[in-house]
Amino acid sequence: MTNIEQHTAVNFRTYRNLFTTAIRLLLVITIACLFIPFYPKMPAAGLDNSWMFGMNEAIAQHMAFGRDVIFTFGPYASVYTKEYHPATGSLMLLGSVFLALAYTIGTLFLINKERWCLGLVYSLFLASLVYSRDSLLFSFTLIVAASAYKAMMLKETGSEKSKSINLALIILLFSLGLPALIKGSMLILCGAISILCFLLFVMKKEKALAVMSLALPASSMIFFWLVSGQSISDMPAYIANMGPIASGYTDAMSYVGKVSEIWNYLLASAVLCAGLFANRRQFKPENMFLWCIFSVFLFLAFKGGFVRHDGHASMAAISLITAALIYLSVTSNKLNLAVAGLCILASFYIINNYVKTNTAFLKHNIVQTYTKAYEGISNSLEDSHWLDKKFSAAVNNIKESANLPILQGTTDIYSYSQSDLIASGNQWNPRPILQSYSVYTESLAIKNRDHLLGANAPDNIIFSVEPLDHRFPALEDGTSWPALLSNYHPTMLRADNRLFLAKNPTPTNDANPTTIQSAIHHLGEEISVPDMASPVFVELDIKPNLFGHLANILFKSAQLKIKVTLTGGQSQEYRLISGFTKSGFIISPLVENTSDFGMLFGDSSFYEHKRVKSFSIVQVKGKTTFWQNEFSVKFKSLDLPPPIDLKKLYTFDPVTDAQSDPQKAPDSYCLGVIDLVNGVPPTKAMATSSLLRVDGWLATSTAEGPRPATPVIVLWNKNGQVKLIYTRVSMRPDVGAALKNPDLDKAGYVANADVSGLDGEYSLSLGFKEADQVKICQPSQSIVTIGKRTTHADK
């Protein structure tokens, strides 16, 4: 070889080494930017933001996870949320830096210098697409397992020093305990990976590593648990309570999406798993290990992405890309690129249904990954207190928007919106499962109820009915409703759908309803509800059959639906969650909103129109039955305190005498309708004893086009007496959109009147006031019988 050729070869190796070093450095920087919160989020209002703020505040108030707080997330939740709190900032940084270090070691161990191209692709993938924190945590566990596999291969060939391999494995196995303290459901995946690594090391006769694969994750959990300020005595409860949370999630949170996304994911996953076998002609234990870790990873990502099949599907898709890239790092076959390419195409198909993953989108994400980190570092160098200042400003914004008063004593808020309460400056005293939609099972529901009946019950409750996914409204924390009705009284109902409750001076420690009927019924059967003046409580023990149990383990079973029929004949349908029903809920009256719940504290005549006559339960769809046909039904009565005067709580619209007989307006002059009377569409004959609520919209024709009117509800009886109920404005953007006139967004109206002073049959009409004259827009379509209800089965 000539000197020129030697010089060229040396330069080529030098440039290649520099290039591969740069790629590896890029990978390290990218991982640091993703894991370490250089520019953390700040608290905000809303459902998800509320539990994020709540997890941080729980640490700040030294609450015990597993006892005081039982939720999907653990004491290191901030590593997942990247949300700043002065009390958890150092904890978030510790967990994030440690995970970033372990992730970097594992990634560099898998993607060696010879595979610099894969390192570049993985860096760009992380920077552009891994905005899902679930995907990042999931991918970490697969990297640990794949590193264990590669370590055994390197030891066989002797191409690397055993000491360096063992050191890398010790760090990776030790870090496997932290994800379970970030998100409790990671216990399943981390535990499975730990056990599979143990079996691999046993088969390869690596006794020390086999012991460490079980001991190090457990030691890590204990270490990080103690560092977070938690007591070791609470750790078993934290682990045990993840059982009902994980088992109840599938039924409670399932959501139906596009079936084609599921088939794309399953097909790509099957091809990848088949590709693992194609890489080895002869069977070896480590080959089965490799197949197992990918199968477990892909299966749990499938469950995480498609049980609640909405934007969560992107998490499964991103995990599939991760699996494909790690697959390339541990296998060598001509078909590998084709297998990985298929997985990536399937993933982009899924992701594109939620976000448009074009070049501009990917470029934006890449730029943001690095610039946000740079901006955060720069801010910290310029002002060491900038995070505390942003935190204070964010909390103050929440406080001003929610505008909650300072209440004496401790306070909890239902069903979520913890951010509003914490930011207000009130002393937060949460129930164990702090957001009501997460009370998936009977045991969790009872924990929340017992908190209200215990010595540490909050002095105040800020209450809202806010069901998720069109669930039956009384389901979420429904087991606690008897305790709320017995031990608290309402003090204020605000226009923002919040009912303020204060603890009674002498609260009862027992709010258990009394059984009045018990029987076995069947799916699809019409079940009569006892005719009682007081609210009726029901417990339903609906169980999946064997096929349903298998469906829940492998994916999800069919949803249940409840159809309730009111005494007036109207019907409503809602989603039913079996895990919520066993501990019980109020079936009658039908409580659909916060205002309805407040009525339960008053005289029963105010919710007369919402009494449920009967209900039936069916599987939503599908030829295959996932549920046992028979189920038990227990009806119970509630022993409630004397009713309060609702006039002190509700602002009822006045009922006045008409000064003159209303006149009929020309038909062409009016646009509008009565949509609902006492929550249901108007019929020819209706009845009420105390409350009359009328909703709808009205506009009048003018030379400039339709304009919002001043609606009034007109009642007159056969004696010629005319009563008027003046309405309030209710926003109706649907009307403005339909008639292409933004002014008509204010055409909605609502009247909420106490008509207990009236008696007899009244014609109900819609009218409007013009000057001092009331004009009828709509002839009487309904006769409302107003009078006291006098017959009950319990009287």
Side-chain angles (χ1 to χ4, degrees), residues 1-15:
M1 182 182 291
T2 64
N3 290 335
I4 295 176
E5 289 173 335
Q6 289 178 343
H7 181 71
T8 302
V10 170
N11 283 343
F12 177 77
R13 285 194 297 269
T14 302
Y15 291 140

Side-chain angles (χ1 to χ4, degrees), residues 83-362:
E83 183 173 293
Y84 180 76
H85 190 291
T88 62
S90 57
L91 206 62
M92 175 173 64
L93 191 61
L94 169 67
S96 300
V97 169
F98 186 79
L99 268 186
L101 173 64
Y103 199 98
T104 301
I105 291 172
T107 307
L108 294 179
F109 186 66
L110 289 174
I111 305 174
N112 52 33
K113 293 180 180 180
E114 289 71 27
R115 301 198 176 191
W116 60 266
C117 187
L118 182 58
L120 178 60
V121 171
Y122 200 73
S123 297
L124 296 176
F125 160 67
L126 288 174
S128 62
L129 274 179
V130 185
Y131 42 80
S132 166
R133 302 297 287 176
D134 288 291
S135 301
L136 205 57
L137 283 178
F138 262 56
S139 66
F140 172 68
T141 61
L142 184 59
I143 284 172
V144 172
S147 297
Y149 166 82
K150 187 169 183 178
M152 294 301 98
M153 299 302 99
L154 291 174
K155 282 195 172 190
E156 280 189 357
T157 60
S159 56
E160 292 282 346
K161 293 181 180 180
S162 292
K163 288 185 178 179
S164 59
I165 293 174
N166 288 342
L167 179 60
L169 285 179
I170 288 171
I171 295 173
L172 291 172
L173 290 170
F174 183 77
S175 62
L176 205 55
L178 180 56
L181 302 183
I182 297 171
K183 189 173 185 180
S185 56
M186 290 297 295
L187 269 168
I188 300 171
L189 183 54
C190 291
I193 295 299
S194 180
I195 292 169
L196 288 171
C197 287
F198 169 78
L199 295 174
L200 173 67
F201 296 143
V202 167
M203 289 186 291
K204 303 302 289 184
K205 298 181 180 180
E206 293 280 352
K207 295 181 181 179
L209 288 175
V211 172
M212 285 191 287
S213 65
L214 298 179
L216 286 177
S219 302
S220 171
M221 278 192 70
I222 295 171
F223 171 77
F224 283 107
W225 180 265
L226 294 174
V227 168
S228 70
Q230 298 294 304
S231 169
I232 193 67
S233 61
D234 291 320
M235 194 171 188
Y238 172 77
I239 295 172
N241 282 316
M242 286 302 145
I245 288 177
S247 63
Y249 177 87
T250 298
D251 182 32
M253 300 302 290
S254 67
Y255 195 83
V256 178
K258 293 180 67 173
V259 177
S260 59
E261 295 177 10
I262 297 173
W263 285 116
N264 269 270
Y265 180 91
L266 291 176
L267 175 62
S269 298
V271 170
L272 189 147
C273 290
L276 290 169
F277 280 117
N279 277 273
R280 295 286 177 178
R281 293 184 179 179
Q282 58 183 11
F283 173 81
K284 287 186 177 181
E286 57 266 29
N287 299 339
M288 182 54 68
F289 168 80
L290 198 61
W291 186 87
C292 285
I293 63 171
F294 274 90
S295 297
V296 168
F297 173 82
L298 290 169
F299 170 69
L300 292 178
F302 169 75
K303 289 273 288 185
F306 295 111
V307 165
R308 185 161 184 82
H309 193 164
D310 48 14
H312 287 77
S314 293
M315 170 262 181
I318 294 170
S319 296
L320 181 58
I321 297 177
T322 304
L325 296 177
I326 294 175
Y327 166 84
L328 290 176
S329 72
V330 293
T331 59
S332 55
N333 189 291
K334 293 179 180 179
L335 295 176
N336 283 355
L337 287 177
V339 171
L342 176 65
C343 292
I344 292 170
L345 286 175
S347 298
F348 271 93
Y349 167 77
I350 296 168
I351 297 169
N352 254 319
N353 289 320
Y354 303 95
V355 292
K356 296 302 177 184
T357 51
N358 51 31
T359 305
F361 171 81
L362 298 175

Side-chain angles (χ1 to χ4, degrees), residues 476-687:
E476 297 182 353
D477 257 324
T479 307
S480 295
W481 285 22
L484 290 170
L485 294 169
S486 299
N487 289 355
Y488 292 82
H489 62 276
T491 59
M492 175 173 53
L493 176 64
R494 296 206 322 189
D496 60 357
N497 194 39
R498 282 175 172 162
L499 179 67
F500 287 71
L501 306 174
K503 189 190 292 185
N504 295 335
T506 55
T508 176
N509 292 324
D510 182 16
N512 289 321
T514 304
T515 301
I516 53 176
Q517 284 184 24
S518 182
I520 300 296
H521 293 277
H522 299 83
L523 293 178
E525 178 185 348
E526 195 77 14
I527 303 168
S528 297
V529 177
D531 184 19
M532 300 177 62
S534 61
V536 180
F537 195 81
V538 68
E539 294 175 2
L540 309 173
D541 190 6
I542 307 171
K543 298 177 180 177
N545 56 26
L546 178 60
F547 194 71
H549 279 298
L550 290 173
N552 271 329
I553 293 171
L554 297 176
F555 186 27
K556 57 186 174 186
S557 64
Q559 296 177 1
L560 292 172
K561 176 176 66 177
I562 183 171
K563 179 181 179 181
V564 294
T565 302
L566 304 183
T567 53
Q570 304 87 6
S571 296
Q572 300 272 33
E573 291 184 350
Y574 300 94
R575 183 176 173 188
L576 191 75
I577 310 297
S578 64
F580 286 57
T581 64
K582 192 173 182 180
S583 53
F585 59 98
I586 290 177
I587 186 68
S588 179
L590 176 60
V591 176
E592 296 185 276
N593 49 54
T594 308
S595 178
D596 287 349
F597 180 83
M599 293 287 179
L600 297 178
F601 289 94
D603 187 271
S604 61
S605 62
F606 280 93
Y607 49 81
E608 181 75 27
H609 61 287
K610 302 299 286 288
R611 295 187 184 280
V612 175
K613 178 183 178 182
S614 63
F615 69 90
S616 61
I617 299 169
V618 297
Q619 183 176 297
V620 172
K621 61 180 179 179
K623 296 180 181 179
T624 305
T625 302
F626 292 83
W627 301 93
Q628 295 181 18
N629 189 42
E630 290 187 344
F631 60 95
S632 66
V633 179
K634 288 184 182 179
F635 289 109
K636 297 187 174 185
S637 63
L638 302 181
D639 184 17
L640 300 179
I644 68 166
D645 184 0
L646 289 180
K647 293 178 183 178
K648 297 179 180 179
L649 180 66
Y650 289 82
T651 302
F652 290 111
D653 298 305
V655 180
T656 62
D657 293 316
Q659 300 301 312
S660 59
D661 291 338
Q663 299 178 359
K664 186 178 183 304
D667 292 340
S668 60
Y669 193 68
C670 297
L671 292 171
V673 70
I674 296 175
D675 286 323
L676 301 171
V677 177
N678 281 350
V680 296
T683 58
K684 290 183 178 180
M686 296 175 292

